[in-house]
Amino acid sequence: MTTNRREPTILRGISSRAWEHPADRGALVALRELRGFDVVLRKLSSMFTEREMRLVFLGSSIRVDRHQYTRVHNAYLSVASVLDVADPPDLYVTRNPDLGGLTIGIDQPVVSITSGSVQQLDDEELRFLLAHELGHAQSGHALYRTMLAWVLRLTAGLSWLPVGAVGLRLILAALYEWQRKSELSADRAGALAVQNPAVGTRMLARIAGGGDLSEIDVAAFLEQAKDFETGGDLRESFIKLLLLEQRSHDFPVERAAALNRWVEEGDYLDVLAGNYPTRVEDQSVSLSDEAKAAARHYRDAFNASGDPLAAFARKLRSKVSSNSGSDSATAQE
């Protein structure tokens, strides 16, 4: 399947920070400050894990190049060019009827997409998926996911203590929260590479509905996201929290809504207009600024959320503030 399209804007020198979600970016900047640990992890991974993974792909998947899966190869080179990635990771197609992809490895990442994606996605959707995975590679998500997994394994020794079990669950929750936000970052990379945000929504609708869009209304799909966020009562809000606690990806409707909000807020168009951070500026990034940006995101998301639990918490906060103000005025009298 092919579609007519204009030539995309090449984003020269673009830093991965341009597409990273504030919560993802804050965590990445903090982890990058742990100098030394990442070096050790890279060395250990390159000696064993990465070699094993490369052999698995070489032995069981199809390596994409100009001779094999030419359509996929051309799409991959296209999105790499738009995101200004001179040397994209090796790409493989793996036998799997589902839609999706995978980026693994540290020093030499490997990108893999499923055969189902090749068969079911049109050209724009295929580029979105490839750019999503390339976004993961450029952000270094594989390195820091591995680092956090190691920290988690070290902490697991405390799980036999009551306090250790609670602490381990909190670490798990934080790890999965970061992973979910890293997926939102990669969705943004996909949108910037394709330069048609509707493609991302369409792709996520395919994932939710099993691939076939013939009877899917994308606008109704986005409305479904609003119902998911604002519908139900406090009980359903708690259930949603439990459902998300150990998910590495947000639900597809949530990802579509998050991508749509990012576009509507103007950041997407700013990047296409050339207003984006560059790789040469990455060394001067302030950890405190990124932490503040992450905190600001969560605060703004809480204040804007239509979730019943968030609405109840805002109402409670307002009541407490009002009572505190009244008590203070009474004391002054």
Side-chain angles (χ1 to χ4, degrees):
M1 292 176 282
T2 58
T3 55
N4 295 324
R5 64 187 183 100
R6 62 174 180 77
E7 287 301 311
T9 300
I10 306 299
L11 305 172
R12 301 290 182 196
I14 190 170
S15 166
S16 61
R17 290 182 292 121
W19 60 72
E20 285 162 2
H21 186 281
D24 174 28
R25 191 167 63 242
L28 288 171
V29 171
L31 288 165
R32 286 165 186 155
E33 291 298 309
L34 299 176
R35 306 188 190 284
F37 189 20
D38 60 339
V39 174
V40 173
L41 192 59
R42 284 179 187 275
K43 293 295 184 185
L44 290 173
S45 179
S46 64
M47 281 192 296
F48 300 105
T49 310
E50 287 199 13
R51 293 175 186 273
E52 178 184 348
M53 290 186 298
R54 285 185 171 277
L55 287 172
V56 168
F57 279 110
L58 279 170
S60 62
S61 302
I62 302 296
R63 184 165 55 192
V64 175
D65 57 28
R66 61 192 182 91
H67 301 294
Q68 301 189 115
Y69 285 110
T70 305
R71 170 177 168 251
V72 178
H73 177 66
N74 291 338
Y76 193 47
L77 293 182
S78 171
V79 297
S81 174
V82 173
L83 297 179
D84 199 18
V85 179
D87 188 20
D90 286 347
L91 173 63
Y92 290 85
V93 172
T94 301
R95 182 172 60 86
N96 186 330
D98 292 334
L99 298 175
L102 176 69
T103 299
I104 54 176
I106 296 176
D107 274 338
Q108 294 181 299
V110 172
V111 173
S112 170
I113 64 171
T114 64
S115 55
S117 299
V118 177
Q119 293 162 3
Q120 297 180 54
L121 301 182
D122 67 26
D123 287 353
E124 285 188 314
E125 293 160 357
L126 180 62
R127 286 197 301 275
F128 179 90
L129 174 61
L130 292 167
H132 173 105
E133 297 304 330
L134 193 55
H136 278 312
Q138 290 298 103
S139 288
H141 286 149
L143 169 63
Y144 299 108
R145 284 179 177 180
T146 305
M147 183 186 294
L148 285 172
W150 275 41
V151 172
L152 183 59
R153 282 197 290 271
L154 290 173
T155 311
L158 299 174
S159 61
W160 62 275
L161 293 169
V163 112
V166 172
L168 182 58
R169 184 161 182 174
L170 290 174
I171 293 171
L172 268 171
L175 171 59
Y176 282 120
E177 167 66 7
W178 173 69
Q179 284 186 305
R180 289 192 295 271
K181 294 303 182 282
S182 74
E183 293 301 329
L184 300 185
S185 298
D187 286 342
R188 294 176 178 186
L192 289 172
V194 175
Q195 299 182 5
N196 180 359
V199 175
T201 305
R202 205 165 72 223
M203 174 71 187
L204 290 164
R206 279 193 187 274
I207 292 173
D212 184 10
L213 288 181
S214 62
E215 296 188 47
I216 302 298
D217 185 316
V218 174
F221 178 66
L222 286 174
E223 284 297 319
Q224 185 178 327
K226 294 179 183 178
D227 290 342
F228 180 85
E229 180 184 356
T230 62
D233 53 21
L234 289 177
R235 290 169 299 179
E236 292 191 6
S237 292
F238 281 112
I239 291 171
K240 282 188 284 187
L241 289 175
L242 292 173
L243 288 172
L244 283 172
E245 185 181 14
Q246 295 191 19
R247 285 183 65 93
S248 61
H249 293 56
D250 280 322
F251 292 111
V253 291
E254 288 188 290
R255 288 172 59 187
L259 183 60
N260 196 54
R261 279 194 300 270
W262 181 66
V263 171
E264 290 180 344
E265 287 166 0
D267 290 342
Y268 166 78
L269 289 177
D270 280 347
V271 172
L272 293 191
N275 303 318
Y276 54 78
T278 60
R279 291 191 286 270
V280 297
E281 302 166 336
D282 284 348
Q283 295 301 316
S284 60
V285 175
S286 165
L287 175 58
S288 62
D289 287 347
E290 297 300 342
K292 289 175 184 176
R296 187 165 55 249
H297 160 76
Y298 281 112
R299 184 187 63 239
D300 293 346
F302 172 77
N303 290 331
S305 175
D307 182 82
L309 182 59
F312 174 77
R314 288 197 301 268
K315 186 176 180 181
L316 185 62
R317 182 184 62 183
S318 177
K319 186 174 182 179
V320 170
S321 298
S322 177
N323 288 341
S324 297
S326 298
D327 292 344
S328 176
T330 302
Q332 289 177 359
E333 292 174 1

